[in-house]
């Protein structure tokens, strides 16, 4: 996994995306933009993947709906088999506990700011409609 790789999961167990209730899917999806911005700000990347697999033939390993937000740093190694590098296979970076705790704290702080900005923008849009 790359530094800043985030998983977004549903609270209720559902194996595949189509097994979620519509409201659950909407709730999960609503987090993806703010989390993507937070990942980019904390890791300093401008490119990332958002990945969600459904079923074993689609490379789903964990039988629970989840999205990966995977930052793509500029220093991506050049490998022959591109299909193996797309989702980070063979590109793992280990974080020690202290580094992981620091990164999680930074991510929470940036996410709080993102959510605050989103709330202010919605409030302004509401006033404009009045």
């Amino acid at each position: 996994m790359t530094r800043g790789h985030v998983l977004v999961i549903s609270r209720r167990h559902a194996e595949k995306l189509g097994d979620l209730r519509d409201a659950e899917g909407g709730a999960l999806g609503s987090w993806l933009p703010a989390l993507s911005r937070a990942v980019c700000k904390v890791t300093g990347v401008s490119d990332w993947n958002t990945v969600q697999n459904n079923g074993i033939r689609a490379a789903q390993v964990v039988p629970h709906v989840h999205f990966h937000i995977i930052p793509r740093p500029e220093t991506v190694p050049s490998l022959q088999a591109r299909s193996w590098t797309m989702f980070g296979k063979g590109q793992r970076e280990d974080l020690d506990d202290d580094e992981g705790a620091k990164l999680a704290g930074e991510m929470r702080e940036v996410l709080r700011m993102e959510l605050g900005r989103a709330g202010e923008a919605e409030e302004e849009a509401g006033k404009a409609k009045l």
Side-chain angles (χ1 to χ4, degrees):
M1 291 190 293
T2 59
R3 181 180 176 276
H5 183 142
V6 171
L7 290 179
V8 184
I9 65 170
S10 63
R11 289 182 184 256
R12 185 181 66 84
H13 174 71
E15 186 171 329
K16 296 179 180 179
L17 189 58
D19 297 334
L20 288 176
R21 297 177 185 122
D22 290 347
E24 292 170 322
L28 270 178
S30 71
W31 282 96
L32 297 176
L35 284 166
S36 293
R37 289 189 297 270
V39 165
C40 290
K41 286 180 182 172
V42 170
T43 62
V45 304
S46 58
D47 297 331
W48 71 97
N49 294 103
T50 302
V51 180
Q52 197 281 320
N53 301 320
N54 293 282
I56 192 77
R57 288 183 300 280
Q60 183 180 16
V61 176
V62 176
H64 187 97
V65 173
H66 60 284
F67 290 82
H68 297 259
I69 299 174
I70 308 168
R72 295 300 180 198
E74 290 183 23
T75 57
V76 175
S78 190
L79 298 175
Q80 296 286 358
R82 283 285 189 208
S83 64
W84 286 99
T85 64
M86 183 175 189
F87 301 121
K89 292 182 188 272
Q91 297 180 32
R92 295 191 179 270
E93 296 176 21
D94 291 331
L95 291 178
D96 67 27
D97 289 344
D98 292 338
E99 289 173 314
K102 181 180 178 200
L103 182 64
E106 291 173 22
M107 196 76 69
R108 280 191 293 273
E109 184 59 34
V110 171
L111 186 57
R112 274 188 208 100
M113 291 187 308
E114 282 296 324
L115 294 176
R117 283 190 199 125
E120 290 170 7
E122 285 179 17
E123 187 175 311
E124 288 300 315
K127 287 179 185 177
K129 289 181 182 179
L130 296 175

